[in-house]
Amino acid sequence: MALEHAILVSLEERAGSGYELARRFDRSFGFFWAASHQQIYRTLKRMVERDWVTVTDVAQEGRPDKKVYRVTDGGRAELSRWLAEPTEPVTVRSELAVKIRGASLGDSGVVIEEIARHRSHHAERLGVYRMIEKRDFADPDSLRGQRLHQYLVLRGGIRAEQGQLDWCDELLDALHRDRARGKADTEG
Amino acid sequence: MALEHAILVSLEERAGSGYELARRFDRSFGFFWAASHQQIYRTLKRMVERDWVTVTDVAQEGRPDKKVYRVTDGGRAELSRWLAEPTEPVTVRSELAVKIRGASLGDSGVVIEEIARHRSHHAERLGVYRMIEKRDFADPDSLRGQRLHQYLVLRGGIRAEQGQLDWCDELLDALHRDRARGKADTEG
DNA sequence: AGTTGCTATGCGCCTAGTTGCATAGTAACT
DNA sequence: AGTTACTATGCAACTAGGCGCATAGCAACT
């Protein structure tokens, strides 16, 4: 699993608390890896036990104390080990695809509505990603190192959302035409 | 979760045993939903308890007896209910993306090798899907109903694999150029 | 007689992840 | 004084899924 490793990467870039990590996972890191705060706190606890990170209590003004986590040498070693280890390519697991296969057996109208809902979702995500691309990475050819890597991950998100969006359009077009033909058959 | 619903859809199209379902999930259904035989047997057992399917022992010649599962009215009702229920769009969860972000902190060479490995994987899957598309769906405009839905799901698989492949190419190109620039800096 | 391979079913343990709930300080608004 | 919102942490129970292992009939080959 990669949540631990995603946390190691994030903490290497900048030390922080569980709460801060959760916010990072909501934003840039969450482009490709969602994690709830419960998961993050539990994982951090385990990582402390394994000596991959250390924790320091930090008093704050005007807000509750926080625990700042920092990567140890052991954590860096684990990250190197994991980077060199092959991982399985993602298996696509699409509930929407199951629903499309099920459309023959039920009301295809509700499936079409569902696809439209997914289309909106992906269009919105894509809009956010495109905005970030334009705002933060105006000159991609000049990027290097960490900044380049951030850009490339964003590109992956853009490609994934664009792909889903295009598929939704293909689905809606084909299913609408199929319905129209079915109606013509009944009437004619 | 959709494994139960994927099984319902598959069994509605044709009744079968756990073993047969496992093979279907290895083939067409597995384009978008992988499931091990252990998972399928366990899920079928639960589905019998819920009266979504019935089971009949069938003696066979030259091979072990099998248990054939059939969808009940209750199962069909559940499938309808689920089809109408909104599902969350898939959150992309890419270990490869985590590794790219980690490349700044470790050996970018091993990350490039990993991307190349993923590229091969996606190229191979895409090849299989394209072959099926050409062989089984030569005239997509004429498709209707169940056959159309099968084709549309395959199209989703093609789009997903093509997207991953293109991203891998973009990654390899950018990371190679970044390395070459770094080398030029050291030498110059 | 032994091995390999396909068909066929299933259990037990573990990890990862989700859901719901609980606590608590501070600030700003009503 | 009460509500809402943000910061900050965490547990308990549950579900899904993966990994390893076990059993067993039959066929074909060695």
Side-chain angles (χ1 to χ4, degrees):
Chain A
M1 89 112 177
L3 178 56
E4 294 164 354
H5 302 101
I7 289 175
L8 285 175
V9 170
S10 190
L11 287 181
E12 269 283 87
E13 290 178 359
R14 185 190 310 222
S17 67
Y19 187 84
E20 283 161 357
L21 281 169
R23 280 194 307 179
R24 289 184 213 170
F25 276 83
D26 278 347
R27 296 160 202 260
S28 64
F29 243 85
F31 294 163
F32 52 83
W33 203 281
S36 65
H37 74 272
Q38 291 95 332
Q39 255 176 284
I40 289 169
Y41 285 123
R42 195 174 357 145
T43 304
L44 281 169
K45 196 181 170 185
R46 192 167 57 228
M47 290 168 77
V48 170
E49 284 165 18
R50 290 182 191 170
D51 292 321
W52 291 355
V53 295
T54 55
V55 59
T56 321
D57 278 311
V58 175
Q60 295 187 112
E61 281 174 36
R63 54 183 63 176
D65 295 358
K66 65 178 178 180
K67 296 183 181 177
V68 170
Y69 293 87
R70 278 181 192 78
V71 182
T72 63
D73 287 344
R76 271 180 286 273
E78 168 57 24
L79 187 55
S80 293
R81 191 201 60 72
W82 177 76
L83 282 174
E85 176 195 85
T87 37
E88 289 296 299
V90 205
T91 314
V92 196
R93 190 165 275 198
S94 165
E95 294 211 4
L96 196 59
V98 180
K99 288 196 170 183
I100 291 160
R101 284 287 286 256
S104 322
L105 311 162
D107 181 359
S108 68
V110 294
V111 175
I112 288 174
E113 280 170 39
E114 177 77 341
I115 296 166
R117 197 165 24 237
H118 282 242
R119 192 199 177 281
S120 307
H121 171 88
H122 294 300
E124 197 197 311
R125 299 294 312 156
L126 182 60
V128 172
Y129 293 174
R130 289 271 188 221
M131 185 271 287
I132 295 169
E133 186 185 28
K134 202 175 166 182
R135 189 191 61 195
D136 296 346
F137 305 100
D139 182 15
D141 288 336
S142 69
L143 297 169
R144 303 189 50 183
Q146 201 175 86
R147 287 276 299 154
L148 173 63
H149 301 150
Q150 284 174 15
Y151 170 72
L152 291 172
V153 167
L154 178 62
R155 289 289 305 160
I158 288 172
R159 283 180 183 279
E161 295 299 336
Q162 184 73 61
Q164 287 285 305
L165 184 61
D166 292 345
W167 186 44
C168 285
D169 284 334
E170 182 176 359
L171 290 170
L172 290 171
D173 184 57
L175 293 177
H176 276 132
R177 276 197 289 140
D178 192 45
R179 284 200 121 193
R181 274 205 280 184
K183 203 180 165 194
D185 284 358
T186 313
E187 285 169 1
Chain B
M1 89 112 175
L3 178 55
E4 293 164 353
H5 303 101
I7 289 175
L8 285 174
V9 170
S10 190
L11 287 180
E12 269 283 86
E13 291 179 358
R14 186 191 308 222
S17 68
Y19 187 84
E20 284 161 357
L21 281 169
R23 280 193 306 179
R24 288 184 213 171
F25 275 84
D26 278 346
R27 296 159 202 259
S28 62
F29 242 84
F31 294 162
F32 52 83
W33 202 281
S36 64
H37 75 273
Q38 292 95 331
Q39 256 175 282
I40 290 169
Y41 285 123
R42 197 174 353 146
T43 304
L44 281 169
K45 195 181 171 185
R46 191 168 58 229
M47 291 169 76
V48 171
E49 283 164 18
R50 291 181 190 170
D51 292 320
W52 291 355
V53 295
T54 55
V55 58
T56 322
D57 278 312
V58 175
Q60 295 188 110
E61 282 174 35
R63 54 184 65 177
D65 294 358
K66 66 177 178 179
K67 296 182 179 179
V68 170
Y69 293 86
R70 278 183 190 78
V71 182
T72 63
D73 286 344
R76 272 181 286 273
E78 168 57 24
L79 186 55
S80 293
R81 189 200 61 73
W82 177 76
L83 281 174
E85 177 195 83
T87 37
E88 289 298 297
V90 203
T91 315
V92 196
R93 187 165 278 197
S94 166
E95 295 211 4
L96 196 58
V98 180
K99 288 196 171 185
I100 291 159
R101 286 285 287 255
S104 323
L105 312 162
D107 181 359
S108 68
V110 296
V111 175
I112 289 175
E113 280 170 39
E114 178 77 341
I115 296 166
R117 198 165 22 238
H118 281 242
R119 193 199 177 282
S120 307
H121 172 89
H122 294 301
E124 197 197 310
R125 299 294 313 158
L126 182 60
V128 171
Y129 293 173
R130 288 274 188 219
M131 186 272 288
I132 295 169
E133 185 184 30
K134 201 174 166 182
R135 189 191 61 195
D136 296 345
F137 304 100
D139 184 14
D141 288 335
S142 68
L143 296 170
R144 303 186 53 182
Q146 201 175 87
R147 288 275 298 156
L148 173 63
H149 302 150
Q150 284 174 16
Y151 170 72
L152 291 172
V153 168
L154 178 62
R155 290 289 306 160
I158 288 172
R159 283 181 184 279
E161 295 299 335
Q162 184 74 62
Q164 287 286 305
L165 185 61
D166 292 345
W167 186 44
C168 285
D169 284 334
E170 182 176 359
L171 290 170
L172 289 171
D173 183 57
L175 294 178
H176 276 132
R177 277 197 287 140
D178 192 45
R179 285 200 119 193
R181 275 205 281 183
K183 205 181 162 191
D185 284 358
T186 313
E187 286 169 1

